[in-house]
Amino acid sequence: MKQARTFFGLLIMIFLALPILFGIIWAVGFTQAFVSEKTLATLPGEVIAEVPGLLEGMMQAARDERSDMDYDTRAWLNAMAAAGTAPKQLMRETGLDDWLERELTGSLAELGRIMNGRSSARSLWLDMRPLKAALAHPAMTAWFARVLENLPACSDGESEAWARALAHQADCESLPPCRPAAAPPGDTAAVAAAIRERIGRDIPDRVNMLENARFPRRNFNVARTVDSFAYLLFLIPALFIFLGAVIGGRGWPGFFRWSGVATMTGGGLVLALSSLARGIVPWAMRVGPMETRYSSHWMHWHEAFAEHAGSLAQVISRHFISPVVTVAGGVCIVGLLLFAFSFTFTRGEAAKPQAPAA
């Protein structure tokens, strides 16, 4: 009977309690990252700072003929590289950098304050006019014209696609990577201006970031409410841990010992995996796939591209995996306390006076 109870208790712990606890730790950690005021205030700026370097790395990676990059992407990136203006310089010259850092980052930071109850909910408008002004900047038009000049000549089918785009019969998201036949070198500025003007017309002047959100008008800490609900999810694995400990453990010492070991195991697995992911993801992005005979379907990462991609992955992992590590560490501490508490019952039973022999 004792072996059967131990067996069924282990089944409950291994196949129900531990997998559910594992998943809920990740869910609670990611939820904290998504609603964190710090994440919304700092993550966009850190990502934006990595974008110019990432684009430059992609341009350099496009020169590698061994890569699995598709032809269209390679052609556009090579033309951008041949335009002679670095992405960071172009963004700074046109004012796009200022719009990203001030307007976009500021709006997301304000959204974080609203979600954390530090500001009352209201219409949160994202001003798109500086973005449209950046796209209409003469430097942007000149740069796009140089990009077009460095593209290969169009075929008949590609020329028709360009004609439909210029005639407003097709969108500008699928422009063929070639120089329009109606725009020989030196005459691409008109085409660049037409495309730029059309893109600018499609962008609204302002966007309400809370248009479909139903926040209370007064200050309301949405983040704390979401966090509280997320922590309530721990009641689900706690129920199965309780059930497994009642069946497998014998008496109070066994119950707390089983509960502590199961809780520490679930938290420890997440702690080890999340800590490993936080370190190995940026490293893997920098190193890239190994040059083996099995890597023919992998992209041959260029050193510069891999370095910037690794930095971007490190920024994202720091904001989204660190809360998971914190939650997993807290679960491990709870499990350790339960395990340690089991020995108080053991000492109490050992200290009981023994009945005298008859």
Side-chain angles (χ1 to χ4, degrees), residues 150-185:
N150 287 285
L151 289 171
C154 289
S155 64
D156 293 339
E158 291 173 332
S159 296
E160 293 177 0
W162 265 106
R164 288 194 300 270
L166 294 175
H168 305 280
Q169 296 176 359
D171 55 37
C172 296
E173 299 178 357
S174 57
L175 295 175
C178 64
R179 185 175 65 253

Side-chain angles (χ1 to χ4, degrees), residues 7-344:
F7 176 74
F8 284 112
L10 284 174
L11 286 180
I12 293 173
M13 292 294 191
I14 294 174
F15 293 103
L16 292 174
L18 289 181
I20 295 174
L21 179 61
F22 184 90
I24 287 179
I25 292 175
W26 282 98
V28 171
F30 282 143
T31 300
Q32 287 186 344
F34 277 113
V35 300
S36 170
E37 184 178 356
K38 180 181 177 182
T39 299
L40 291 172
T42 61
L43 179 60
E46 294 179 7
V47 172
I48 289 168
E50 297 292 336
V51 168
L54 185 63
L55 290 175
E56 292 178 2
M58 291 177 64
M59 292 178 190
Q60 296 182 20
R63 300 173 186 172
D64 187 359
E65 298 295 336
R66 300 174 301 166
S67 68
D68 294 335
M69 189 178 296
D70 63 278
Y71 172 80
D72 290 3
T73 304
R74 187 194 302 277
W76 280 111
L77 289 174
N78 286 333
M80 291 177 187
T85 303
K88 188 173 184 179
Q89 178 184 351
L90 181 66
M91 292 172 64
R92 183 172 57 250
E93 186 176 353
T94 59
L96 182 59
D97 202 5
D98 290 338
W99 179 80
L100 290 172
E101 291 180 358
R102 296 179 185 178
E103 185 66 30
L104 181 60
T105 304
S107 297
L108 291 175
E110 178 62 22
L111 177 61
R113 288 190 289 270
I114 292 174
M115 293 186 64
N116 284 268
R118 292 162 53 86
S119 179
S120 59
R122 51 186 173 79
S123 296
L124 182 59
W125 293 97
L126 178 62
D127 191 359
M128 306 293 286
R129 288 171 293 183
L131 173 61
K132 298 171 70 172
L135 296 177
H137 196 280
M140 182 68 74
T141 304
W143 173 79
F144 189 38
R146 292 196 301 272
V147 170
L148 293 178
E149 291 175 3
N150 287 285
L151 289 171
C154 289
S155 64
D156 293 339
E158 291 173 332
S159 296
E160 293 177 0
W162 265 106
R164 288 194 300 270
L166 294 175
H168 305 280
Q169 296 176 359
D171 55 37
C172 296
E173 299 178 357
S174 57
L175 295 175
C178 64
R179 185 175 65 253
D187 193 27
T188 54
V191 176
I195 296 299
R196 181 214 65 196
E197 183 181 356
R198 182 176 175 188
I199 293 175
R201 284 200 306 267
D202 293 338
I203 300 176
D205 289 340
R206 294 196 307 167
V207 175
N208 186 2
M209 300 180 65
L210 298 179
E211 182 177 1
N212 296 319
R214 297 182 178 179
F215 285 102
R217 286 324 228 177
R218 57 184 177 83
N219 289 27
F220 182 73
N221 198 328
V222 178
R224 181 181 300 173
T225 303
V226 172
D227 280 344
S228 301
F229 177 77
Y231 277 107
L232 286 176
L233 295 176
F234 279 112
L235 294 175
I236 301 174
L239 176 63
F240 288 103
I241 290 175
F242 174 82
L243 184 60
V246 167
I247 295 176
R250 290 177 298 278
W252 287 111
F255 171 80
F256 282 103
R257 201 162 299 164
W258 274 63
S259 300
V261 170
T263 305
M264 280 192 296
T265 302
L269 289 174
V270 178
L271 185 63
L273 183 59
S274 57
S275 301
L276 180 64
R278 187 170 56 178
I280 202 172
V281 169
W283 174 83
M285 296 292 287
R286 287 191 176 96
V287 174
M290 297 179 62
E291 294 289 342
T292 64
R293 61 190 180 93
Y294 298 105
S295 63
S296 58
H297 297 291
W298 292 89
M299 179 177 178
H300 297 272
W301 293 77
H302 189 278
E303 182 179 358
F305 174 66
E307 180 181 355
H308 290 291
S311 300
L312 182 60
Q314 187 174 8
V315 168
I316 296 175
S317 64
R318 183 172 64 249
H319 283 276
F320 285 94
I321 297 184
S322 294
V324 177
V325 174
T326 303
V327 174
V331 171
C332 288
I333 292 174
V334 171
L336 181 62
L337 292 176
L338 290 173
F339 183 77
F341 191 64
S342 67
F343 291 97
T344 62

